[in-house]
Amino acid sequence: DGFPAFYCMCYVSGVYGFWQGDNVDTITTPIWTSIGDGFPVGNFDYPSFIEGDSATYGTIYGGFAQSGGFYRTSP
């Protein structure tokens, strides 16, 4: 049964954005998949949180500091 996915808004290999990490809890190298750039849905407000959907693998929800929210699914 695998490990859960890990979601972050960070730099991976020098690229800023929203990332999904698989195998993050293992000894092997994690697999990172980009699921959006640093400005999802074209909003330039600061994203203040992201959270993975516990029922749907690959889906994240997020909110902006002052202007609404968004959701994304991994490709």
Side-chain angles (χ1 to χ4, degrees):
D1 295 79
F3 291 97
F6 175 81
Y7 299 96
C8 63
M9 181 179 62
C10 60
Y11 286 92
V12 172
S13 299
V15 178
Y16 180 74
F18 293 94
W19 296 88
Q20 174 180 310
D22 290 303
N23 295 329
V24 175
D25 292 341
T26 64
I27 295 173
T28 62
T29 303
I31 300 166
W32 293 101
T33 303
S34 174
I35 55 174
D37 64 15
F39 304 103
V41 300
N43 190 325
F44 292 97
D45 195 357
Y46 179 76
S48 60
F49 81 92
I50 61 172
E51 183 171 335
D53 187 324
S54 61
T56 307
Y57 178 82
T59 299
I60 63 168
Y61 301 95
F64 295 104
Q66 303 266 332
S67 61
F70 65 94
Y71 77 95
R72 298 281 254 193
T73 57
S74 61

